[in-house]
Amino acid sequence: MALTTETVAAELDAASKVGDPAADALVSELIDNREVDGVNQLFRTINTLGPGQDRSHLPQRLARFLDEAEAEPPGWTEADVRAAEGFFAHHHGEVSMLQGTVGLIGTYLSPTGAFTLRSTGRLGGVKGPGRRLSQSSRLFVDMGNKNALRDRTLAATVTKVRLVHASVRQLHKKSGEWDYEKWGEPVSQKYTTGAACVFSVQILEAMKNLGIDVSKEDAHGFMCAWHYVNHYLGTPDKWLLPKDVGIVRDLWQQERTREWQKTDDGVFMTAQAVKFYRELLPPAVSDAFIAVIRVGLGDTYADMAGVPKSPIDIAAKPLAEGHKVVSGISGGLLGGTAKKTVGVNPYKEVLGTASKHFNEIERYALTHDKDDQPQMHQELGDDR
């Protein structure tokens, strides 16, 4: 039965108690047998776990799991592929940036999600936000790569993320520290589906806030892509996000008011992420970059996450009616070349530059210390 606005609250409550039995059983064995580092080495080897590769050298249970995980989403069609490719042909750079900023910070607004991420050390440890960004950037970048939905490279990347999620669940279970009554299952199906909403319809909302024109056809294509990703993350069909962007938007906006909250964990991780961006970007660019994130999230959620208000953002409102932006943002990025006419949205001038800078961060995160693949964990808080 498909999710509806009438059933979604009860279904997500049920999903909060469910992990991923097939992946959990596999990863539990890998952890018990101290094989996680070996699997991570396979993750780091380009295409080792990709489509069409010889899996005879893999542990038999891992090869069997990968074979079983290859089935396409129910009802997946060539039209879905073309729609997704159309979206990324028009918006790959912009959406990759927004998923890695607005999307990631959005996941920190889920109390359970924020606690899970911080407690595993994937953002709060010595490696800082670069590690968390590197864990996610491969997925964001791969989604828009040419033929990613045809040659199954995206499915392979998502399956690796699925195993990372399972490792987090198993480490919490083995630690005896997780409060199941309070939090439900670590990285539960509720969290997976909720995160898919954040990275799909919440990003479309951010694009609208920033004045980026997305056609109905392209919005549908982006939702098709996340339906595909949601499936390969191991989500059962009954909790799989529909391809209909209007339905998912209604579901998400209804549940967002129930789910998103301000927490110490979320604010802490947002502050670390902002610090990371500022350290990697020139001062003028970083101010504009943070303002982009605030406008994308909207003031209510930006305040909830603790995204700072920059002088640019504060000055924007009286100067750019209807857009909540200021020509000074473009000036900061483009050396004063922004149009100053009220009513012109300067973000259309700066988004390309902001995307360029952020994609440089993503490339850094993907290549720094050879951490270019999602990584499983052998111990809770091990910072890998």
Side-chain angles (χ1 to χ4, degrees):
M1 180 178 178
L3 294 173
T4 68
T5 53
E6 290 75 25
T7 65
V8 65
E11 289 294 334
L12 290 183
D13 282 345
S16 72
K17 301 174 178 64
V18 178
D20 182 347
D24 290 344
L26 168 65
V27 170
S28 180
E29 279 193 56
L30 294 173
I31 291 173
D32 289 345
N33 294 326
R34 308 295 296 182
E35 295 179 73
V36 163
D37 285 339
V39 174
N40 281 339
Q41 188 59 48
L42 294 175
F43 283 4
R44 294 186 185 102
T45 304
I46 303 301
N47 290 330
T48 296
L49 297 183
Q53 298 295 312
D54 178 12
R55 294 174 179 164
S56 61
H57 64 294
L58 299 179
Q60 186 176 14
R61 59 193 179 283
L62 176 58
R64 184 168 57 249
F65 172 84
L66 294 172
D67 289 341
E68 293 171 353
E70 282 190 343
E72 288 187 337
W76 187 249
T77 68
E78 171 64 20
D80 297 332
V81 175
R82 289 197 303 269
E85 290 176 337
F87 172 85
F88 288 110
H90 298 140
H91 300 292
H92 190 195
E94 298 163 347
V95 81
S96 179
M97 177 193 73
L98 291 173
Q99 288 182 125
T101 53
V102 172
L104 285 181
I105 291 175
T107 64
Y108 308 157
L109 288 170
S110 165
T112 305
F115 176 82
T116 306
L117 291 168
R118 188 178 182 184
S119 65
T120 57
R122 291 170 66 195
L123 182 60
V126 295
K127 297 296 184 182
R131 180 69 70 182
R132 171 61 174 149
L133 183 59
S134 72
Q135 295 282 352
S136 305
S137 292
R138 175 63 62 189
L139 172 57
F140 301 149
V141 171
D142 282 3
M143 287 184 76
N145 284 347
K146 184 177 181 181
N147 294 324
L149 291 161
R150 298 179 185 276
D151 63 14
R152 303 188 60 78
T153 53
L154 178 58
T157 295
V158 179
T159 301
K160 296 169 192 174
V161 175
R162 179 183 176 185
L163 292 175
V164 171
H165 289 176
S167 77
V168 173
R169 276 192 299 274
Q170 291 306 301
L171 292 176
H172 276 297
K173 181 177 181 179
K174 294 174 187 298
S175 75
E177 298 175 4
W178 184 265
D179 188 338
Y180 283 86
E181 184 175 349
K182 178 180 180 181
W183 296 109
E185 189 75 14
V187 199
S188 68
Q189 292 296 341
K190 174 186 176 180
Y191 177 83
T192 301
T193 297
C197 288
V198 173
F199 290 119
S200 58
V201 290
Q202 184 68 40
I203 295 303
L204 290 174
E205 182 176 306
M207 295 173 82
K208 181 179 180 181
N209 290 346
L210 290 162
I212 304 172
D213 298 320
V214 180
S215 70
K216 290 182 178 179
E217 293 79 10
D218 279 349
H220 170 70
F222 191 42
M223 198 65 249
C224 285
W226 272 100
H227 173 86
Y228 182 93
V229 170
N230 198 193
H231 166 77
Y232 283 108
L233 285 171
T235 300
D237 292 351
K238 64 180 178 179
W239 294 323
L240 196 62
L241 290 181
K243 302 172 196 172
D244 188 311
V245 67
I247 292 174
V248 179
R249 183 183 291 115
D250 289 345
L251 296 174
W252 173 237
Q253 289 180 348
Q254 175 178 302
E255 289 305 299
R256 180 175 59 186
T257 58
R258 192 170 77 118
E259 178 64 16
W260 274 9
Q261 300 174 31
K262 183 175 184 176
T263 64
D264 290 343
D265 289 328
V267 171
F268 171 83
M269 293 199 301
T270 298
Q272 279 208 322
V274 169
K275 180 175 181 290
F276 176 72
Y277 300 143
R278 289 198 183 281
E279 288 175 350
L280 285 184
L281 295 169
V285 175
S286 67
D287 283 343
F289 195 72
I290 302 307
V292 166
I293 296 171
R294 274 200 66 88
V295 174
L297 271 171
D299 284 341
T300 297
Y301 300 119
D303 289 344
M304 195 180 289
V307 179
K309 292 182 179 179
S310 72
I312 290 174
D313 185 67
I314 293 170
K317 292 171 184 174
L319 293 179
E321 182 179 0
H323 296 294
K324 295 187 286 186
V325 294
V326 64
S327 59
I329 295 174
S330 285
L333 283 170
L334 304 176
T337 61
K339 295 181 178 67
K340 298 183 182 297
T341 305
V342 173
V344 173
N345 182 354
Y347 274 114
K348 291 185 178 180
E349 297 188 33
V350 306
L351 277 168
T353 303
S355 297
K356 176 178 179 291
H357 280 285
F358 185 74
N359 286 325
E360 288 174 355
I361 294 176
E362 287 189 308
R363 283 193 293 274
Y364 166 83
L366 287 172
T367 57
H368 180 62
D369 198 29
K370 299 180 181 179
D371 187 13
D372 63 351
Q373 294 289 328
Q375 297 294 291
M376 293 168 59
H377 304 257
Q378 185 66 54
E379 297 174 356
L380 194 63
D382 65 5
D383 277 325
R384 73 182 69 226

